[in-house]
Amino acid sequence: MSPLDRKEAQVRALLEGPHPAVPAGLAAAAAVRGRRMLRRRRALRRFGWTLLCAAALAFTVWAVLTRPWVTPPSGVSPPLEGW
């Protein structure tokens, strides 16, 4: 008998045998845990979106105040006067 056949026989014996009893409050506890996980996930998602919006707003304010797209004036030569 190969090792795979032996493992398959063990699994079949476990599946055909008596099934263990499920604890009484297992479904209720799983539902409570699921709700808590959903609340936590929803709170983290809201926090992430809030942080993203705050960063976008801060970037917009910075860009409006500093105007990085405008080239700074060159200070190499003096301005021409009297032409």
Side-chain angles (χ1 to χ4, degrees), residues 18-51:
H19 299 293
V22 177
L26 184 65
V32 168
R33 185 170 183 227
R35 275 190 228 107
R36 186 177 23 207
M37 285 173 55
L38 285 175
R39 266 196 322 265
R40 205 173 281 153
R41 197 173 292 156
R42 192 179 304 136
L44 282 172
R45 191 175 299 131
R46 283 182 184 164
F47 176 72
W49 277 109
T50 304
L51 188 65

Side-chain angles (χ1 to χ4, degrees), residues 1-16:
M1 186 179 248
S2 71
L4 290 177
D5 292 337
R6 202 173 321 123
K7 286 184 180 182
E8 184 179 344
Q10 288 174 349
V11 169
R12 286 187 187 276
L14 284 173
L15 290 175
E16 291 173 359

Side-chain angles (χ1 to χ4, degrees), residues 64-79:
V64 166
L65 292 177
T66 59
R67 297 187 315 182
W69 56 88
V70 176
T71 57
S74 177
V76 177
S77 62

